[in-house]
């Protein structure tokens, strides 16, 4: 690993200015889990890291806060996954977020990993992370997964590169209609979280729409509509210390037995958190039932184009959507 300096700015302005110093932008360090992993593997070699935990109490307050708003929730970008998982008083409607934060990675990683870093970590594609290979994202001419080892890659929205979005928190946050506040050259701006993520067709060198030196400050979950419930379902090869094969986070607004609103977000099947819009549309206005869920779950894979080794993700995703709907709407799964 190349030696580097850890810069410890105490103000947001100083952190951003240092990150943008010439000749090359320097990365922020939050939990450091992904960044230092990439550096140890020789995939990144910055001369300096900008330590976000050095921000003063006042300057870093928004990034460290985990607080209820009017019915909703504000989550600072420096809040750890562990703190989110064990937060007291999270509205029951936000259960999907708690479940996802408790399931990601390992207990030790969850203590260090932050919400902002989790959303901005690089994909786990073994070709991108191989120091001796050049794929589309690392400067090569083609996606090596497309005709190679692709059992963990995208079935939806892929091409020209077939990564899957790695963040476990992204799907529940999008399902709960989170917005994100960013600090950049033009000041602060807030956008729906799903607009933060850039598919490979739009941007090949990164998976987000941030400019160099822009900081994620915080996320905000709006107050849930009455009757909103959310759940997170995941399939892994082993239950702990492992990455998802596929996951779904969904929120439904249920009035009586009728579904009035739905946001269904798939993870680890596409380069971005993937809204299953056909499922959402087929649910709204319908009475929750096992028959309905059996009918709409296959719509989760509308448009899927599996690669040679990942066709299993089609049935797996449909099954997760069906299981999540049963749990969210409290409808027993038929024997
Ligand atoms: C064995 C193992 C299993 C794992 N399993 C999972 C899993 O199941 N699900 C999952 O989601 N993850 C998993 N991870 C990945 C881990 O959760 C992430 O690496 C971690 O969440 C990244 O967060 P961080 O705070 O350490 O980010 P860092 O490594 O500090 O930063 C990541 C990137 O985000 C940038 N950044 C960080 N904060 C900000 C900010 N506020 N503003 C702007 N830029 C910022 C950094 O510059 C860097 O580019 C696993 C990791 C390991 C090693």
């Amino acid at each position: 690993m190349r030696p580097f300096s850890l810069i410890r700015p105490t103000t947001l302005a100083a952190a951003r200015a240092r990150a943008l110093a010439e000749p090359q932008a320097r990365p922020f360090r939050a939990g450091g889990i992904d960044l230092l992993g990439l550096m140890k593997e020789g995939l990144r070699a910055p001369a300096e890291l900008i330590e976000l935990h050095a921000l003063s109490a006042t300057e870093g307050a928004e990034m460290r806060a985990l607080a209820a708003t009017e019915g909703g929730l504000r989550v600072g970008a420096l809040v750890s996954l562990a703190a989110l998982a064990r937060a007291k008083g999270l509205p029951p409607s936000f259960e999907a977020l708690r479940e996802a934060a408790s399931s990601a990675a390992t207990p030790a990683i969850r203590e260090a990993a932050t919400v902002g870093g989790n959303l901005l970590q690089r994909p786990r594609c073994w070709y991108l992370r191989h120091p001796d290979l050049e794929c589309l994202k690392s400067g090569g001419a083609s996606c090596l997964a497309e005709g190679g080892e692709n059992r963990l890659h995208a079935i939806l929205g892929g091409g020209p590169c077939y990564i899957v979005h790695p963040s476990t928190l992204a799907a529940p946050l999008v399902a709960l209609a989170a917005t994100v506040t960013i600090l950049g050259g033009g000041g602060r701006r807030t956008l729906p979280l799903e607009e933060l993520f850039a598919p490979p067709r739009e941007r090949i060198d990164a998976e987000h729409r941030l400019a160099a030196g822009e900081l994620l400050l915080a996320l905000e979950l709006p107050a849930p509509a009455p009757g909103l419930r959310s759940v997170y379902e995941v399939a892994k090869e082993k239950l702990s210390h492992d990455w998802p094969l596929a996951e779904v986070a969904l929120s439904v607004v249920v009035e009586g037995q009728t579904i009035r609103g739905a946001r269904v977000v798939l993870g680890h099947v596409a380069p971005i958190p993937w809204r299953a819009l056909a499922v959402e549309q087929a649910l709204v206005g319908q009475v929750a039932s096992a028959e309905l869920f059996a009918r709409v779950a296959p719509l989760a894979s509308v448009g899927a184009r599996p690669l040679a080794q990942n066709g299993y993700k089609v049935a797996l995703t449909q099954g997760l959507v069906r299981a999540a709907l049963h749990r969210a709407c409290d409808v027993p799964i038929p024997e």
Side-chain angles (χ1 to χ4, degrees), residues 77-333:
L78 282 177
V79 169
S80 72
L81 271 55
L84 190 55
R86 53 175 181 250
K88 298 264 184 287
L90 270 195
S93 305
F94 297 160
E95 182 60 14
L97 184 58
R98 200 194 55 74
E99 289 175 355
S102 318
S103 103
T106 67
I109 290 173
R110 292 197 292 271
E111 291 293 336
T114 65
V115 170
N118 186 267
L119 294 171
L120 296 174
Q121 62 178 302
R122 298 305 311 276
R124 304 303 300 186
C125 173
W126 36 54
Y127 294 112
L128 171 62
R129 289 190 179 244
H130 197 298
D132 303 327
L133 295 176
E134 280 195 347
C135 72
L136 268 184
K137 276 192 171 287
S138 54
S142 63
C143 171
L144 303 176
E146 190 173 5
E149 290 293 324
N150 51 37
R151 68 193 166 84
L152 299 183
H153 289 76
I155 57 169
L156 285 158
C161 141
Y162 288 84
I163 54 145
V164 290
H165 186 78
S167 164
T168 292
L169 295 186
L173 286 166
V174 172
L176 291 166
T179 56
V180 60
T181 299
I182 294 160
L183 182 65
R188 296 162 64 100
R189 64 192 163 102
T190 297
L191 59 145
L193 177 63
E194 55 191 308
E195 292 177 14
L196 177 69
F197 305 112
R201 273 192 187 85
E202 177 187 321
R203 186 170 183 184
I204 202 69
D205 65 323
E207 295 74 45
H208 55 72
R209 294 181 172 136
L210 295 180
E214 285 198 312
L215 263 174
L216 282 197
L217 294 179
L219 292 120
E220 188 144 343
L221 277 66
L228 186 137
R229 304 173 201 169
S230 71
V231 298
Y232 169 79
E233 291 281 346
V234 60
K236 302 179 179 186
E237 278 177 345
K238 54 190 176 70
L239 287 178
S240 72
H241 297 49
D242 203 6
W243 290 85
L245 296 169
E247 59 190 351
V248 59
L250 60 84
S251 67
V252 284
V253 178
V254 184
E255 194 182 278
Q257 280 304 304
T258 305
I259 299 171
R260 297 291 180 204
R263 288 171 72 95
V264 179
V265 187
L266 312 178
H268 284 265
V269 291
I272 53 174
W274 190 262
R275 288 277 297 277
L277 296 173
V279 179
E280 295 178 7
Q281 284 156 12
L283 286 169
V284 174
Q286 304 297 315
V287 172
S289 70
E291 294 71 34
L292 174 70
F293 302 157
R295 202 168 66 242
V296 303
L299 300 175
S301 48
V302 166
R305 284 194 305 123
L307 301 167
Q309 300 170 352
N310 64 5
Y312 72 94
K313 287 194 180 191
V314 170
L316 187 58
T317 301
Q318 293 175 1
L320 289 173
V321 168
R322 199 167 160 187
L325 285 169
H326 275 278
R327 197 151 65 84
C329 299
D330 212 7
V331 171
I333 297 177

